[in-house]
Amino acid sequence: MSETASKTLGTPAREPDAGRWKALVFIALAQLMVVLDATIVNIALPSAQQDLGISDGNRQWVVTAYALAFGGLLLFGGRIADLWGRKRAFVLGLGGFAAASALGGAATNEAMMFGARALQGAFGALLAPAALSLLAVMFTDAKERAKAFGIYGAIAGGGGAVGLILGGFLTEYLDWRWTFFVNIPFAIVAAAGAYFVIREPEGGRNRSPLDIPGVILSTLGLVALVYGFTRAESDGWSDSVTVGMFVASAVLLLSFVAVESRVKAPLLPLRVVTERNRGGIYLSLGLAIIAMFGLFLFLTYYLQIVKGYSPVKTGFAFLPMIAGMITGSTQIGTRLMTRVAPRLLMGPGFLVAALGMLLLTQLEIGSSYAALLLPAMLLLGLGMGTAFMPAMSMATQGVEPRDAGVASAMVNTSQQVGGAIGTALLNTIAASATTSYIADHIVGATSRSQQQLVQLEGMVEGYTSAIWFAVGILVVAAGIALTFVNAGRPGSTTVTGSGSDTDVADEVQVPVVAH
């Protein structure tokens, strides 16, 4: 241990940055912009497709180009943040994201749109881990950390649903192009605020040379994985390209692990993911996102196609889920984080969300919003908000500051890959159940209205079949959280794998003292 570290451990910790709460506002604003973008564009897609003459076969690339760049470059983005400094990476990411959004809003053809979306994804991959790692190094006091990550977790969880509301308004009352242009004021305010307010602690950079083989292998491996699931959704699991992508991804990612275990300055130090608590969090969080992404998709279709809701009304229908997430994250999670072990928030949180999901397996064409959807969404939001908050905090707690960016990138990677898997896997299950139901019941439908009714019943049957799988996935996520995450509450005396939680806090503080 260095002399500086020894002195710090024996004396009161460095005074926290006075502007840290102001900084949280701008970090949260940037995170909201990134999360919004994941759903806001989905609402605008039909209008954009028509305006730009994008074929049905190519329209998926509006979503896929973003997902591939974002998911593939996250680890690289996290490492760049550690190398350049998180504030610099954060501001640069915001500027790039705004410029790419302007390009997307001004798109005149499909190539320009796909390029803009890929650029958005690339800058998002720099911005997202920089934002989370800034929180990790700026908030080291257990109670303050709980509040900060409670707010961040609520935004990370609820921002997608806000995107549905905003996307509906902009598309219905203005123009689809505003779903891109709206990012620009977000980015300018967040970048200006960050530039003047954020003061990143000294000494937390990782100035080791870039692990180029690791960058190439991880980027190609993650791109192949995300594309494999995206392709499975549109072309089926047995498609030769889909299978080839999964095989290539497995080979590339295994090669990446082999390289990382040998190189002197790895892109992803294996100590970040092999630590029991962090490994459990990445895995359980990824599984929970699989369930959530599928649900957003099904409920959006159910409300608009089966119930006939407008885009704006659909967005508002998700408000109880947002309210539940904010309550679970900022009230339940934040208040209990310093009193109970994280697993006792994450495990029960995922189980409460599973209970909400279980209610949705009872969906029918005539289901009442107030009697079924409302309580289900509230339970989902409360459960996810309560579980997300300690997960976000624990995922970066105890890492050395030089690894904060890449540890944060792993949180985003588990979410991004989980989202791609959830959309493809649950959509495939739903489509299969729908096809089977319609084949069994269409024979008895003689009139056009009866056939339309069978079509709608088939859709709902597909959704409920997939939601049963989502329930199971959330139960597994709860089991992993309760089994793997064995850290004590902040301030307690035992945290397996990292020493005490007091030590964990000191681990974050010690190296960031100015030398």
Side-chain angles (χ1 to χ4, degrees):
M1 186 179 287
S2 69
E3 186 180 339
T4 308
S6 301
K7 285 178 183 175
T8 309
L9 285 170
T11 57
R14 170 184 55 81
E15 278 293 310
D17 181 7
R20 64 195 179 283
W21 291 107
K22 289 179 186 173
L24 175 62
V25 172
F26 300 112
I27 292 168
L29 189 64
Q31 173 65 11
L32 179 61
M33 181 188 72
V34 173
V35 177
L36 279 176
D37 199 73
T39 51
I40 198 170
V41 173
N42 290 349
I43 294 282
L45 186 53
S47 305
Q49 181 185 356
Q50 191 175 356
D51 265 16
L52 301 178
I54 302 172
S55 69
D56 284 348
N58 284 343
R59 72 179 172 191
Q60 64 158 328
W61 284 101
V62 177
V63 176
T64 304
Y66 178 86
L68 291 180
F70 192 75
L73 293 170
L74 269 167
L75 282 177
F76 183 44
R79 179 66 181 84
I80 289 291
D82 287 335
L83 180 66
W84 290 353
R86 285 118 205 155
K87 177 178 174 177
R88 185 179 297 173
F90 183 72
V91 173
L92 181 64
L94 280 166
F97 200 92
S101 297
L103 189 66
T108 53
N109 54 52
E110 63 179 34
M112 193 171 168
M113 171 61 77
F114 300 156
R117 290 292 283 159
L119 274 175
Q120 275 187 312
F123 283 106
L126 179 64
L127 172 60
L132 188 54
S133 55
L134 275 170
L135 285 191
V137 298
M138 292 180 80
F139 289 90
T140 52
D141 174 76
K143 287 187 177 178
E144 287 195 346
R145 187 180 177 91
K147 285 181 186 174
F149 277 91
I151 294 166
Y152 187 88
I155 289 168
V162 176
L164 294 172
I165 299 171
L166 193 56
F169 263 108
L170 294 172
T171 304
E172 207 165 311
Y173 298 116
L174 289 172
D175 185 74
W176 66 265
R177 295 182 184 278
W178 282 97
T179 61
F180 286 89
F181 292 145
V182 74
N183 290 331
I184 299 169
F186 273 96
I188 290 171
V189 171
Y195 184 80
F196 291 110
V197 171
I198 292 176
R199 284 193 293 278
E200 188 180 348
E202 294 289 334
R205 289 195 195 177
N206 184 345
R207 299 184 187 275
S208 306
L210 266 180
D211 166 24
I212 300 299
V215 169
I216 294 168
L217 288 169
S218 69
T219 301
L220 291 177
L222 287 169
V223 163
L225 183 63
V226 173
Y227 184 58
F229 279 106
T230 306
R231 177 96 184 183
E233 186 189 355
S234 56
D235 293 66
W237 295 92
S238 57
D239 174 68
S240 58
V241 177
T242 302
V243 173
M245 283 293 142
F246 286 136
V247 171
S249 172
V251 171
L252 287 163
L253 292 177
L254 285 171
S255 303
F256 171 66
V257 172
V259 166
E260 298 308 274
S261 64
R262 288 176 172 81
V263 295
K264 188 177 178 183
L267 173 70
L268 175 62
L270 295 182
R271 62 180 175 268
V272 172
V273 289
T274 53
E275 198 275 309
R276 174 176 181 153
N277 290 286
R278 275 191 294 278
I281 282 165
Y282 296 145
L283 191 55
S284 60
L285 204 56
L287 286 169
I289 293 291
I290 289 174
M292 281 297 288
F293 259 67
L295 182 76
F296 271 138
L297 186 73
F298 299 141
L299 282 186
T300 302
Y301 277 115
Y302 174 80
L303 291 169
Q304 288 194 22
I305 296 172
V306 179
K307 304 295 275 186
Y309 284 21
S310 68
V312 172
K313 192 175 179 183
T314 300
F316 276 109
F318 280 97
L319 276 178
M321 191 185 293
I322 301 172
M325 281 183 174
I326 292 170
T327 304
S329 191
T330 61
Q331 299 304 310
I332 302 171
T334 300
R335 290 172 189 274
L336 295 180
M337 178 70 182
T338 53
R339 299 178 187 178
V340 301
R343 69 179 178 277
L344 299 180
L345 287 173
M346 290 179 65
F350 288 138
L351 289 175
V352 168
L355 183 60
M357 201 77 84
L358 190 63
L359 286 179
L360 291 173
T361 61
Q362 307 306 307
L363 265 186
E364 294 174 356
I365 289 179
S367 291
S368 160
Y369 177 83
L372 182 67
L373 289 164
L374 179 62
M377 284 193 186
L378 282 171
L379 285 170
L380 271 162
L382 277 171
M384 285 297 195
T386 303
F388 269 40
M389 187 262 143
M392 292 286 185
S393 178
M394 283 294 299
T396 52
Q397 190 165 316
V399 296
E400 297 174 40
R402 65 197 174 105
D403 293 335
V406 81
S408 302
M410 276 303 299
V411 177
N412 288 287
T413 301
S414 67
Q415 290 178 309
Q416 190 65 28
V417 173
I421 294 171
T423 305
L425 178 65
L426 296 179
N427 219 20
T428 306
I429 292 165
S432 175
T434 297
T435 304
S436 177
Y437 183 92
I438 292 172
D440 290 344
H441 294 80
I442 199 73
V443 179
T446 52
S447 67
R448 183 170 176 78
S449 61
Q450 286 177 325
Q451 288 173 352
Q452 286 177 335
L453 182 64
V454 169
Q455 297 274 0
L456 289 176
E457 285 173 347
M459 286 176 68
V460 176
E461 175 70 19
Y463 301 155
T464 54
S465 298
I467 289 169
W468 273 111
F469 274 84
V471 172
I473 290 167
L474 283 173
V475 171
V476 172
I480 289 169
L482 289 167
T483 307
F484 281 76
V485 181
N486 65 349
R489 64 180 175 80
S492 67
T493 54
T494 56
V495 181
T496 303
S498 299
S500 75
D501 259 29
T502 310
D503 292 338
V504 167
D506 286 333
E507 276 180 48
V508 176
Q509 290 168 346
V510 171
V512 297
V513 174
H515 294 294

